[in-house]
Amino acid sequence: RSKNTSVLPTNWPILHMFPSFMVNVHNLHDYLTLVLIGLGHNFRAHGPPGTGMRFFITCDPANVRHIFTTNYTNFPKGAEFVTIFDIKGGTLFTVDGEDAAAQRGKLKSVLSNPRMIASTEACCRNKVENILLPLLAYMASTGTPFDVQELMSRFMFDLATMSLFGVDPGLLSLDKPPMDAVVALNTVMEVGFFRHAMPSCCWKLMRWLNIGPERKLCTAHKVLRRFLVEMMERRKMEMMERRKMEMMERKINTYHFGSDDEQDGVDIMSSYPNYVDDDLSYAKNIGYMLAARDTIGTTLTWIFYNLAQNPNIVSIIRSEIWPIASCKVASGVDAMMIFEPNEIKSLVYLRAVLYETLRLYPPAPFERKTVAADDIMPSGHEVRTGDTILISLYSLGRMEGVWGNDCLDYNPDRWLSEDGNNLRYVPSHKFLAFNSGPRICLGKEIAVMQMKTVIASVLWNFDVEVMEGQSIQPKPSCILEMKNGFIVKLKKREM
Ligand code: HEM
């Protein structure tokens, strides 16, 4: 991959590099990658005068370590990020400093509570066994092509809502119920991308006039508010029902030794008993839905896409699963094999497949930080107070200087130790998909468990056939979804 100077953005008088980025906005991640290759992992870009757009764009691991770990207090998310994601305002996803530390501490203890982990595992496993696999078996028996991205989006939406509210909205179903709230979440991420790319005065004017993407976002807010209110109501009803049942059971069983504590639900809302229906709670719930749903749903789709191009890797995954499968009996009408999260936890090659997908297709393709005080990057670049730093995770995973000359090949082996039995250590400033430093993702192990459960169960029971003539490309959004989805057909495996 020689340095191609023809892709470098033209530095126009007045408009600077703004036109080059606007022309390539439909393909921004790949365009940025080419520019970062051409300019040695870092460059500076300015918007038109008066817009305050002063960017330093990087995918240099040494700079990443400096920004996310060594000097991270100097690189907060910043006020502009908060206005861009005003929907998540005041939550962990937009704040810094002590406020972030307090919210993070609380959420970390909620997500690492063993009862919460057990409940998340059970929800995922049951959803795969009772809904996902039978639905896929039906698709296979009727030879119906379907969009993996839509299916995974429905699946993850149900799981994220269940872990938040303890209520299953039931979007993953043969009847394909309307997915307005899913579309609304996607709109939040698409309009977020648009806001990142535009001078803030432009999108703020559009918001004031309620036109274009801002109008779409306004409608999305209304849909999401309605959805969250409905989920809270359903949660209340279901909890009342549960309590009634428990009381009846207590009357019947005079030897009941359980405490009230043990009867409490294990969804996330139960850990926030002082819930009030205000803007902050709304923002927290939306933030959680975006963190837990979009990331995994998107990654699962890219995994199936990559595996479809690499049947040899599918065979290796099946060989790794075989010792577990050979001790089990298939269940259900369609005789399918389901794998317990605990059984597949230690599968090293399957984890390498997830990481290899996240390297090339990180669901959060870029991070945005602000410079609090003038600083010099390890690369030697100076940054000034108020500058915006964009870190391209998408490009970082595709740099020859970081991953070697096969950086564009899909090769899970690169994650394995020499004997293939363990994972190789790769520092998070090189593999940034789950973020790095004190703000590293809090849901990494939950995500790995859910993705492994889905991939192992689907690959063991089905062969995946990709429909021809598709154009696979990322959508311009803050989440790396596919623009046109990914259509496949399934065939039940004979065993
Ligand atoms: C493939 C799956 C996932 C990926 C690639 C991923 C990636 C990330 C990234 C890049 C961030 C930093 C975001 C930012 O700074 O703006 C982040 C933060 C976070 N993630 Fe994840 N995530 C995944 C799944 C999850 C899940 C399932 C949960 C919850 C169960 C979760 C909870 C969080 C939380 C709470 C934060 C905020 C941490 C903080 O700001 O201190 N993530 N994640």
Side-chain angles (χ1 to χ4, degrees):
R1 298 193 311 158
S2 59
K3 290 184 180 178
N4 179 358
T5 47
S6 65
V7 299
L8 298 185
T10 309
N11 211 347
W12 298 94
I14 305 177
L15 292 177
H16 296 277
M17 295 179 180
F18 192 63
S20 303
F21 289 110
M22 282 297 108
V23 168
N24 289 288
V25 77
H26 61 285
N27 187 28
L28 198 60
H29 305 306
D30 283 314
Y31 178 66
L32 269 185
T33 305
L34 289 176
V35 176
L36 283 162
I37 292 168
L39 294 174
H41 298 186
N42 303 287
F43 70 98
R44 229 181 270 287
H46 293 264
T51 59
M53 294 174 95
R54 284 199 329 261
F55 291 109
F56 174 63
I57 301 170
T58 183
C59 66
D60 179 336
N63 289 348
V64 171
R65 182 166 46 189
H66 185 73
I67 297 163
F68 287 84
T69 307
T70 329
N71 202 15
Y72 85 96
T73 50
N74 196 36
F75 302 101
K77 293 181 186 239
E80 186 67 18
F81 185 86
V82 182
T83 31
I84 288 177
F85 280 118
D86 46 5
I87 193 167
K88 299 194 272 183
T91 71
L92 179 58
F93 302 97
T94 55
V95 298
D96 293 290
E98 281 175 19
D99 194 0
Q103 289 198 41
R104 189 176 160 92
K106 167 78 182 167
L107 191 53
K108 191 172 175 185
S109 79
V110 172
L111 293 175
S112 57
N113 175 341
R115 292 184 67 211
M116 180 73 205
I117 296 173
S119 155
T120 314
E121 287 181 356
C123 270
C124 177
R125 181 234 177 267
N126 294 342
K127 191 92 186 162
V128 170
E129 181 178 32
N130 302 326
I131 314 284
L132 182 66
L133 290 182
L135 201 149
L136 295 181
Y138 175 81
M139 298 294 196
S141 68
T142 53
T144 316
F146 65 94
D147 180 1
V148 178
Q149 180 161 272
E150 184 190 325
L151 191 99
M152 290 303 155
S153 197
R154 287 175 179 274
F155 173 77
M156 279 315 302
F157 187 87
D158 285 352
L159 279 194
T161 313
M162 284 159 86
S163 63
L164 190 52
F165 296 104
V167 171
D168 183 354
L171 287 199
L172 184 71
S173 147
L174 250 189
D175 321 332
K176 289 187 157 199
M179 43 195 281
D180 301 355
V182 171
V183 175
L185 286 176
N186 291 346
T187 302
V188 170
M189 295 315 248
E190 283 157 36
V191 179
F193 184 84
F194 169 80
R195 285 181 172 184
H196 276 295
M198 295 293 286
S200 62
C201 55
C202 292
W203 68 256
K204 282 180 184 162
L205 180 66
M206 291 172 106
R207 182 174 64 182
W208 187 69
L209 295 170
N210 195 24
I211 55 170
E214 294 296 326
R215 190 184 174 86
K216 260 178 84 181
L217 184 63
C218 183
T219 312
H221 269 286
K222 288 182 191 149
V223 170
L224 289 172
R225 270 202 188 270
R226 263 202 312 273
F227 169 75
L228 293 181
V229 168
E230 189 193 322
M231 288 302 114
M232 280 309 288
E233 307 248 297
R234 276 187 58 185
R235 177 173 193 277
K236 228 189 282 171
M237 302 291 287
E238 286 185 19
M239 279 181 71
M240 269 161 56
E241 278 300 305
R242 218 180 302 156
R243 292 231 185 273
K244 240 193 260 167
M245 297 288 288
E246 278 165 17
M247 278 172 54
M248 274 162 63
E249 270 168 28
R250 273 192 219 190
K251 274 192 193 149
I252 294 165
N253 181 4
T254 46
Y255 296 105
H256 177 84
F257 294 112
S259 72
D260 276 344
D261 255 14
E262 282 170 297
Q263 309 302 321
D264 284 344
V266 279
D267 52 58
I268 292 179
M269 293 305 292
S270 0
S271 303
Y272 294 87
N274 302 325
Y275 179 86
V276 269
D277 185 12
D278 61 3
D279 284 349
L280 183 59
S281 307
Y282 168 69
K284 281 184 179 169
N285 290 338
I286 294 298
Y288 181 81
M289 291 297 289
L290 290 169
R293 172 204 79 115
D294 288 34
T295 48
I296 303 179
T298 304
T299 309
L300 281 169
T301 311
W302 285 110
I303 295 174
F304 282 113
Y305 167 72
N306 282 301
L307 293 180
Q309 327 293 314
N310 293 283
N312 58 322
I313 295 178
V314 174
S315 307
I316 303 174
I317 297 174
R318 285 177 180 156
S319 315
E320 192 183 36
I321 299 173
W322 190 83
I324 303 166
S326 60
C327 305
K328 290 167 71 86
V329 188
S331 62
V333 202
D334 299 298
M336 275 186 295
M337 194 75 89
I338 164 84
F339 298 97
E340 305 295 330
N342 261 339
E343 290 172 329
I344 50 177
K345 201 172 185 167
S346 59
L347 297 184
V348 171
Y349 189 79
L350 186 52
R351 191 181 273 257
V353 166
L354 306 186
Y355 286 3
E356 183 63 348
T357 307
L358 286 161
R359 174 180 76 86
L360 288 168
Y361 302 96
F366 62 91
E367 282 279 329
R368 178 181 181 132
K369 300 280 185 188
T370 304
V371 180
D374 294 358
D375 201 353
I376 299 179
M377 290 286 146
S379 60
H381 293 81
E382 281 181 35
V383 288
R384 287 193 290 131
T385 309
D387 282 1
T388 298
I389 302 190
L390 288 183
I391 304 100
S392 172
L393 281 68
Y394 184 88
S395 306
L396 176 58
R398 290 157 185 261
M399 289 293 131
E400 204 171 302
V402 182
W403 296 98
N405 54 13
D406 67 342
C407 59
L408 295 184
D409 297 348
Y410 186 80
N411 175 18
D413 284 351
R414 76 174 79 243
W415 294 92
L416 302 178
S417 60
E418 236 154 70
D419 62 8
N421 294 330
N422 293 297
L423 279 185
R424 205 186 279 274
Y425 169 70
V426 178
S428 55
H429 57 265
K430 199 173 146 184
F431 174 51
L432 195 56
F434 289 104
N435 221 17
S436 182
R439 303 296 294 273
I440 201 156
C441 171
L442 286 176
K444 179 177 172 188
E445 287 311 313
I446 294 178
V448 168
M449 175 275 291
Q450 292 180 331
M451 293 192 287
K452 276 184 157 182
T453 308
V454 172
I455 299 290
S457 305
V458 175
L459 286 190
W460 189 263
N461 292 295
F462 300 98
D463 284 318
V464 181
E465 185 197 327
V466 180
M467 302 308 286
E468 282 182 10
Q470 299 185 63
S471 148
I472 303 293
Q473 45 179 306
K475 184 201 261 187
S477 170
C478 290
I479 194 91
L480 199 75
E481 280 204 302
M482 290 181 186
K483 198 173 177 176
N484 311 307
F486 177 48
I487 315 294
V488 303
K489 254 183 17 186
L490 295 182
K491 223 171 112 196
K492 179 92 175 59
R493 287 180 75 215
E494 298 304 333
M495 275 166 286

